[in-house]
PDB file of all heavy atoms in Angstrom:
ATOM      1  N   CYS A 444      17.460   8.137  25.886  1.00  0.00           N
ATOM      2  CA  CYS A 444      18.788   7.779  26.000  1.00  0.00           C
ATOM      3  C   CYS A 444      19.030   6.523  25.144  1.00  0.00           C
ATOM      4  O   CYS A 444      20.136   6.429  24.415  1.00  0.00           O
ATOM      5  CB  CYS A 444      19.325   7.465  27.454  1.00  0.00           C
ATOM      6  SG  CYS A 444      19.456   9.030  28.338  1.00  0.00           S
ATOM      7  N   ARG A 445      18.192   5.600  25.188  1.00  0.00           N
ATOM      8  CA  ARG A 445      18.322   4.354  24.249  1.00  0.00           C
ATOM      9  C   ARG A 445      18.538   4.815  22.825  1.00  0.00           C
ATOM     10  O   ARG A 445      19.256   4.207  22.086  1.00  0.00           O
ATOM     11  CB  ARG A 445      17.214   3.427  24.559  1.00  0.00           C
ATOM     12  CG  ARG A 445      17.303   2.701  25.903  1.00  0.00           C
ATOM     13  CD  ARG A 445      16.631   1.312  25.980  1.00  0.00           C
ATOM     14  NE  ARG A 445      16.900   0.651  27.196  1.00  0.00           N
ATOM     15  CZ  ARG A 445      16.031   0.535  28.136  1.00  0.00           C
ATOM     16  NH1 ARG A 445      14.779   0.892  27.974  1.00  0.00           N
ATOM     17  NH2 ARG A 445      16.401  -0.026  29.243  1.00  0.00           N
ATOM     18  N   VAL A 446      17.561   5.706  22.363  1.00  0.00           N
ATOM     19  CA  VAL A 446      17.567   6.202  21.022  1.00  0.00           C
ATOM     20  C   VAL A 446      18.989   6.681  20.717  1.00  0.00           C
ATOM     21  O   VAL A 446      19.587   6.476  19.602  1.00  0.00           O
ATOM     22  CB  VAL A 446      16.570   7.267  20.727  1.00  0.00           C
ATOM     23  CG1 VAL A 446      16.737   7.936  19.389  1.00  0.00           C
ATOM     24  CG2 VAL A 446      15.092   6.612  20.808  1.00  0.00           C
ATOM     25  N   ALA A 447      19.526   7.507  21.635  1.00  0.00           N
ATOM     26  CA  ALA A 447      20.783   8.185  21.356  1.00  0.00           C
ATOM     27  C   ALA A 447      21.952   7.221  21.395  1.00  0.00           C
ATOM     28  O   ALA A 447      22.886   7.266  20.604  1.00  0.00           O
ATOM     29  CB  ALA A 447      20.970   9.252  22.470  1.00  0.00           C
ATOM     30  N   PHE A 448      21.866   6.208  22.399  1.00  0.00           N
ATOM     31  CA  PHE A 448      22.931   5.245  22.334  1.00  0.00           C
ATOM     32  C   PHE A 448      22.999   4.418  21.112  1.00  0.00           C
ATOM     33  O   PHE A 448      24.033   4.006  20.658  1.00  0.00           O
ATOM     34  CB  PHE A 448      22.807   4.236  23.668  1.00  0.00           C
ATOM     35  CG  PHE A 448      23.460   4.789  24.858  1.00  0.00           C
ATOM     36  CD1 PHE A 448      22.700   5.327  25.895  1.00  0.00           C
ATOM     37  CD2 PHE A 448      24.772   4.678  25.100  1.00  0.00           C
ATOM     38  CE1 PHE A 448      23.290   5.821  27.054  1.00  0.00           C
ATOM     39  CE2 PHE A 448      25.475   5.160  26.137  1.00  0.00           C
ATOM     40  CZ  PHE A 448      24.697   5.715  27.152  1.00  0.00           C
ATOM     41  N   ASP A 449      21.702   4.082  20.640  1.00  0.00           N
ATOM     42  CA  ASP A 449      21.601   3.288  19.380  1.00  0.00           C
ATOM     43  C   ASP A 449      22.263   3.983  18.219  1.00  0.00           C
ATOM     44  O   ASP A 449      22.964   3.445  17.341  1.00  0.00           O
ATOM     45  CB  ASP A 449      20.122   2.945  19.082  1.00  0.00           C
ATOM     46  CG  ASP A 449      19.624   1.851  19.850  1.00  0.00           C
ATOM     47  OD1 ASP A 449      20.407   0.957  20.469  1.00  0.00           O
ATOM     48  OD2 ASP A 449      18.414   1.728  20.041  1.00  0.00           O
ATOM     49  N   ILE A 450      22.032   5.255  18.154  1.00  0.00           N
ATOM     50  CA  ILE A 450      22.618   6.109  17.095  1.00  0.00           C
ATOM     51  C   ILE A 450      24.108   6.275  17.219  1.00  0.00           C
ATOM     52  O   ILE A 450      24.862   5.990  16.291  1.00  0.00           O
ATOM     53  CB  ILE A 450      21.943   7.536  17.079  1.00  0.00           C
ATOM     54  CG1 ILE A 450      20.497   7.415  16.698  1.00  0.00           C
ATOM     55  CG2 ILE A 450      22.758   8.487  16.180  1.00  0.00           C
ATOM     56  CD1 ILE A 450      19.826   8.705  16.733  1.00  0.00           C
ATOM     57  N   ALA A 451      24.550   6.461  18.555  1.00  0.00           N
ATOM     58  CA  ALA A 451      25.980   6.485  18.811  1.00  0.00           C
ATOM     59  C   ALA A 451      26.703   5.245  18.353  1.00  0.00           C
ATOM     60  O   ALA A 451      27.814   5.271  17.910  1.00  0.00           O
ATOM     61  CB  ALA A 451      26.262   6.801  20.291  1.00  0.00           C
ATOM     62  N   ARG A 452      26.022   4.054  18.645  1.00  0.00           N
ATOM     63  CA  ARG A 452      26.602   2.788  18.339  1.00  0.00           C
ATOM     64  C   ARG A 452      26.797   2.671  16.836  1.00  0.00           C
ATOM     65  O   ARG A 452      27.893   1.946  16.505  1.00  0.00           O
ATOM     66  CB  ARG A 452      25.532   1.728  18.930  1.00  0.00           C
ATOM     67  CG  ARG A 452      26.047   0.357  18.667  1.00  0.00           C
ATOM     68  CD  ARG A 452      25.117  -0.649  19.408  1.00  0.00           C
ATOM     69  NE  ARG A 452      25.670  -0.925  20.725  1.00  0.00           N
ATOM     70  CZ  ARG A 452      25.091  -1.863  21.581  1.00  0.00           C
ATOM     71  NH1 ARG A 452      23.785  -2.137  21.363  1.00  0.00           N
ATOM     72  NH2 ARG A 452      25.608  -2.163  22.790  1.00  0.00           N
ATOM     73  N   LYS A 453      26.017   3.215  16.094  1.00  0.00           N
ATOM     74  CA  LYS A 453      26.178   3.107  14.587  1.00  0.00           C
ATOM     75  C   LYS A 453      27.145   4.148  14.061  1.00  0.00           C
ATOM     76  O   LYS A 453      27.504   4.192  12.896  1.00  0.00           O
ATOM     77  CB  LYS A 453      24.836   3.303  13.829  1.00  0.00           C
ATOM     78  CG  LYS A 453      23.836   2.139  14.202  1.00  0.00           C
ATOM     79  CD  LYS A 453      22.701   2.242  13.168  1.00  0.00           C
ATOM     80  CE  LYS A 453      21.456   1.512  13.654  1.00  0.00           C
ATOM     81  NZ  LYS A 453      20.329   2.384  13.819  1.00  0.00           N
ATOM     82  N   ARG A 454      27.583   5.062  14.878  1.00  0.00           N
ATOM     83  CA  ARG A 454      28.631   6.121  14.423  1.00  0.00           C
ATOM     84  C   ARG A 454      29.869   5.869  15.064  1.00  0.00           C
ATOM     85  O   ARG A 454      30.386   4.787  15.037  1.00  0.00           O
ATOM     86  CB  ARG A 454      28.039   7.509  14.770  1.00  0.00           C
ATOM     87  CG  ARG A 454      26.783   7.881  13.875  1.00  0.00           C
ATOM     88  CD  ARG A 454      26.010   9.150  14.322  1.00  0.00           C
ATOM     89  NE  ARG A 454      26.994  10.276  14.455  1.00  0.00           N
ATOM     90  CZ  ARG A 454      27.070  11.175  13.738  1.00  0.00           C
ATOM     91  NH1 ARG A 454      26.282  11.347  12.665  1.00  0.00           N
ATOM     92  NH2 ARG A 454      27.956  12.213  14.014  1.00  0.00           N
ATOM     93  N   ASN A 455      30.420   6.906  15.900  1.00  0.00           N
ATOM     94  CA  ASN A 455      31.740   6.781  16.419  1.00  0.00           C
ATOM     95  C   ASN A 455      31.709   6.271  17.890  1.00  0.00           C
ATOM     96  O   ASN A 455      32.737   6.371  18.598  1.00  0.00           O
ATOM     97  CB  ASN A 455      32.463   8.159  16.336  1.00  0.00           C
ATOM     98  CG  ASN A 455      32.697   8.419  14.931  1.00  0.00           C
ATOM     99  OD1 ASN A 455      32.912   7.522  14.098  1.00  0.00           O
ATOM    100  ND2 ASN A 455      32.788   9.714  14.648  1.00  0.00           N
ATOM    101  N   LYS A 456      30.577   5.773  18.305  1.00  0.00           N
ATOM    102  CA  LYS A 456      30.619   5.061  19.674  1.00  0.00           C
ATOM    103  C   LYS A 456      30.895   6.063  20.886  1.00  0.00           C
ATOM    104  O   LYS A 456      31.649   5.657  21.747  1.00  0.00           O
ATOM    105  CB  LYS A 456      31.372   3.817  19.758  1.00  0.00           C
ATOM    106  CG  LYS A 456      31.008   2.825  18.705  1.00  0.00           C
ATOM    107  CD  LYS A 456      31.764   1.538  18.951  1.00  0.00           C
ATOM    108  CE  LYS A 456      31.472   0.301  17.916  1.00  0.00           C
ATOM    109  NZ  LYS A 456      30.172   0.494  17.219  1.00  0.00           N
ATOM    110  N   SER A 457      30.554   7.301  20.691  1.00  0.00           N
ATOM    111  CA  SER A 457      30.734   8.295  21.679  1.00  0.00           C
ATOM    112  C   SER A 457      29.519   9.130  21.868  1.00  0.00           C
ATOM    113  O   SER A 457      28.972   9.646  20.976  1.00  0.00           O
ATOM    114  CB  SER A 457      31.932   9.019  21.301  1.00  0.00           C
ATOM    115  OG  SER A 457      31.754  10.415  21.534  1.00  0.00           O
TER     116      SER A 457
END
Side-chain angles (χ1 to χ4, degrees):
C444 285
R445 289 209 172 105
V446 170
F448 273 106
D449 284 338
I450 291 173
R452 187 169 255 177
K453 292 196 200 117
R454 291 171 50 105
N455 290 332
K456 302 192 183 336
S457 133

